[in-house]
Amino acid sequence: MKILLINDDGIHAPGLWAAAGALRHAGDVFVVAPDREQSGVGSSLTLRAPVRARTATVDSVLTAGEEATGQVTAHVVEGTPGDCCVLALERLVGSVDLVVSGINSGSNLGWDVMVSGTVGGAVQGFVRGFPTIAISVGSVRDPKFEGAAHLLRLIAQRFAENTPTNSLFLNINVPSLPLDQISGVQVTTLGGRSYGESVREEGVEPNKRYTIARDRAISGDAQEGTDIWASKNNRISITPLHIGLGHSEQVPEIERLLSGLPDQLLSSRD
Ligand code: MN
């Protein structure tokens, strides 16, 4: 099995190498990661400048002892997680059997997937038709990756035995807890808004600066069965994603709202 591993926390992030160590039990792992932290860049790509990439050293945690069949190689990219995924699949690695993004430090729940570099980078695997997994643990401070790494190993081994035929994009959130404190595993739906932004203002004109942080937990929408709910209940959440922002149900309502506007606009041409 050939596995592409990207992330948004950068090539030195412990979660990346925890994932590499787990995935090499299922196949060869091709790490292609940003040279620095890129959290929160979503699915952005570098389109207006060349992107540098070079081979990188595999983290020493993987060279010690443990027997595993798969080889691990690494590239570091001076770009976004999306750049990493595109360069890997188009040039550096080519076609793969599985794309994994993570293991991210910090959860990516509900509408966070719109901002997440972990999920945003993985989109480039999904749109190319590869089975794709984004995986995060629920803590930025002192994250515990063991549960997430073990889960990745099990899922990758299942995919190696039984290749998913349909296109598949899973967003997985694992509590940052020892395995024996995790309450279960649940396939969930995407919840609503999970984090809000706060803005801090500094300085005076013309040197005003604003600092945006995503640090306001919003818990209102934690309905049972959502990823947010599962996470609050110390469960591993596995949410199938697709790309579907279009709101077709609203087309008639918007047509009514704007009735007469096309004629109004076009009749004003002379
Ligand atoms: Mn991150």
Side-chain angles (χ1 to χ4, degrees):
M1 197 184 198
K2 208 170 159 182
I3 303 165
L4 168 63
L5 176 62
I6 66 165
N7 79 343
D8 80 349
D9 290 339
I11 189 88
H12 301 297
L16 178 76
W17 296 106
L23 290 168
R24 69 174 181 162
H25 291 274
D28 293 330
V29 182
F30 299 83
V31 175
V32 182
D35 65 335
R36 67 201 77 181
E37 174 158 2
Q38 295 274 352
S39 293
V41 302
S43 55
S44 71
L45 298 178
T46 305
L47 300 178
R48 294 158 71 89
V51 178
R52 288 175 174 276
R54 59 187 183 277
T55 54
T57 314
V58 169
D59 192 283
S60 57
V61 295
L62 293 192
T63 52
E66 207 186 350
E67 87 288 352
T69 50
Q71 299 294 309
V72 182
T73 59
H75 280 84
V76 61
V77 173
E78 293 179 22
T80 67
D83 294 336
C84 293
C85 204
V86 171
L87 294 192
L89 297 172
E90 299 291 337
R91 292 287 161 148
L92 302 172
V93 181
S95 181
V96 295
D97 303 297
L98 176 65
V99 175
V100 174
S101 183
I103 303 166
N104 187 60
S105 289
S107 61
N108 281 303
L109 300 163
W111 294 352
D112 281 351
V113 298
M114 300 295 293
V115 174
S116 165
T118 305
V119 177
V123 162
Q124 294 295 337
F126 175 65
V127 298
R128 286 171 171 73
F130 300 112
T132 299
I133 295 173
I135 184 164
S136 308
V137 296
S139 180
V140 178
R141 273 192 215 115
D142 190 25
K144 307 264 181 296
F145 296 113
E146 294 73 18
H150 196 58
L151 178 72
L152 261 186
R153 177 176 171 171
L154 295 178
I155 291 179
Q157 283 171 336
R158 284 203 176 202
F159 285 8
E161 289 156 14
N162 212 336
T163 312
T165 47
N166 292 324
S167 74
L168 177 148
F169 189 5
L170 303 178
N171 184 40
I172 302 180
N173 282 276
V174 179
S176 183
L177 294 170
L179 261 180
D180 61 1
Q181 290 173 37
I182 292 176
S183 306
V185 183
Q186 188 166 359
V187 180
T188 55
T189 58
L190 198 64
R193 196 170 175 217
S194 59
Y195 274 90
E197 293 78 25
S198 65
V199 179
R200 201 178 74 233
E201 187 179 324
E202 287 173 292
V204 290
E205 288 285 358
N207 292 309
K208 273 202 167 180
R209 297 184 302 277
Y210 298 89
T211 305
I212 301 172
R214 303 195 85 235
D215 56 1
R216 293 194 300 121
I218 294 172
S219 51
D221 197 70
Q223 285 169 6
E224 190 166 340
T226 63
D227 54 354
I228 300 172
W229 181 89
S231 168
K232 284 192 164 167
N233 288 277
N234 289 338
R235 297 177 187 212
I236 292 172
S237 162
I238 303 179
T239 311
L241 298 181
H242 73 143
I243 298 175
L245 283 174
H247 194 359
S248 53
E249 297 81 3
Q250 210 173 37
V251 168
E253 184 193 333
I254 300 303
E255 281 177 340
R256 273 196 305 281
L257 184 71
L258 301 182
S259 72
L261 186 137
D263 287 341
Q264 201 185 348
L265 175 74
L266 299 180
S267 68
S268 65
R269 290 184 297 195
D270 33 18

